[in-house]
Amino acid sequence: MGSYLHFLGHQLKGWPQQNYYLFYFSLGCQIMTLVNSPITWLSVVAFIGTNLGVLCILSISAAKSVNGVLGILSAICFIIVGFSAKNYLSIGEQIAYMVTLDIPVLLSKEWNSNMASKIRQFTGKSWIVAIVGTMIVYFISGNLIQQFTDDPRPWIDAIAFAISLSAGIISFLRYNNQYFWWLASGLAQMVLWFISFKHGSASLAMFINSSVYLINDVLAFTISPWYNKKERQRMQEQEQEYAHQHS
């Protein structure tokens, strides 16, 4: 257990500096949101979940596998908030993240070893499969959630779910093209939680969280090892040094 905790601590180090700046910016916004409204058990859950969620997506953009632990903890918080807001597919989205990304990352030795060295890109066929798959999930999930639940925003919920589910799968498969999906997911989530907030069924914290996710997705195209070759090389050397010290 001690060695694993040390490994997790290592995974929180060596990120691009902009990732840390974005986390502190997000933390400040979430603190202001929390204290400027009546503090309830739900707002506290949202506060914890959003900050863990930001750490999770920042660790993914830094190609660090600590996102498995952070993702599961934040998902539990988001499931509670999603259920309260009746955004039922946001619950399915978090479960999908855990199944397609968080749990496999925890169990996969390959993911937990020098992730930056295993980044790859879509082929033309991969693009078609990913786009068609996303559209199929959208139409199926939208119809199901509209038919079987009282979700007040079924099709907005469905598009956020479909894009996010696809992004989680693409991310686990180590394709850098995931960030086109994460970018679209961030936009969809902003719309979903803004409308939920306007309807009085969610806190502003979830909208702010989606905004931070969107900023991270934009940064990923420039500073993340998923796209920045210099940063990828630095991360590979860092991971190789760590592996040598603990071999």
Side-chain angles (χ1 to χ4, degrees):
M1 175 60 79
S3 60
Y4 183 65
L5 292 175
H6 187 274
F7 168 77
L8 292 179
H10 166 71
Q11 293 295 308
L12 291 169
K13 300 175 182 177
W15 297 0
Q17 285 189 344
Q18 292 87 342
N19 288 39
Y20 295 112
Y21 298 154
L22 184 56
F23 171 71
Y24 291 126
F25 169 76
S26 172
L27 179 62
C29 289
Q30 294 295 353
I31 290 174
M32 287 189 292
T33 301
L34 179 66
V35 300
N36 282 332
S37 302
I39 297 178
T40 64
W41 70 269
L42 191 62
S43 67
V44 172
V45 170
F47 175 78
I48 294 171
T50 52
N51 286 297
L52 290 175
V54 168
L55 279 174
C56 176
I57 57 105
L58 290 174
S59 69
I60 292 175
S61 71
K64 295 285 191 173
S65 56
V66 71
N67 68 287
V69 173
L70 296 171
I72 288 177
L73 294 175
S74 64
I76 293 171
C77 297
F78 288 149
I79 286 171
I80 295 171
V81 176
F83 182 79
S84 174
K86 294 184 178 180
N87 289 338
Y88 298 119
L89 275 179
S90 71
I91 298 173
E93 173 191 324
Q94 295 302 322
I95 294 173
Y97 282 156
M98 288 193 286
V99 172
T100 62
L101 187 57
D102 300 331
I103 294 174
V105 164
L106 289 175
L107 298 178
S108 173
K109 291 183 178 179
E110 186 177 3
W111 238 93
N112 285 287
S113 176
N114 201 350
M115 180 57 219
S117 66
K118 300 161 188 170
I119 294 171
R120 49 184 179 165
Q121 293 180 313
F122 273 177
T123 62
K125 181 180 178 181
S126 302
W127 275 108
I128 295 172
V129 170
I131 292 172
V132 171
T134 303
M135 293 175 63
I136 290 173
V137 173
Y138 169 60
F139 285 112
I140 292 176
S141 61
N143 278 292
L144 289 176
I145 206 72
Q146 185 177 48
Q147 184 174 353
F148 294 109
T149 77
D150 60 346
D151 188 326
R153 300 162 288 272
W155 292 104
I156 299 175
D157 208 352
I159 191 62
F161 171 74
I163 296 171
S164 300
L165 174 62
S166 300
I169 295 172
I170 296 167
S171 178
F172 179 70
L173 295 175
R174 306 185 304 279
Y175 288 107
N176 65 359
N177 308 80
Q178 64 181 285
Y179 279 98
F180 291 99
W181 268 256
W182 289 130
L183 187 64
S185 172
L187 289 169
Q189 291 290 337
M190 284 180 67
V191 172
L192 173 64
W193 289 109
F194 178 74
I195 294 175
S196 300
F197 172 71
K198 295 292 286 185
H199 289 174
S201 55
S203 75
L204 187 60
M206 296 301 292
F207 173 76
I208 294 174
N209 188 64
S210 299
S211 303
V212 172
Y213 280 23
L214 189 65
I215 295 171
N216 173 72
D217 300 334
V218 173
L219 285 176
F221 286 104
T222 57
I223 64 168
S224 167
W226 292 93
Y227 280 94
N228 187 308
K229 292 183 179 180
K230 183 177 180 180
E231 184 63 25
R232 187 184 310 172
Q233 180 62 35
R234 183 188 72 81
M235 200 70 72
Q236 289 175 1
E237 292 173 355
Q238 180 189 80
E239 291 301 307
Q240 288 168 359
E241 180 181 355
Y242 177 81
H244 177 74
Q245 291 174 351
H246 293 82
S247 61

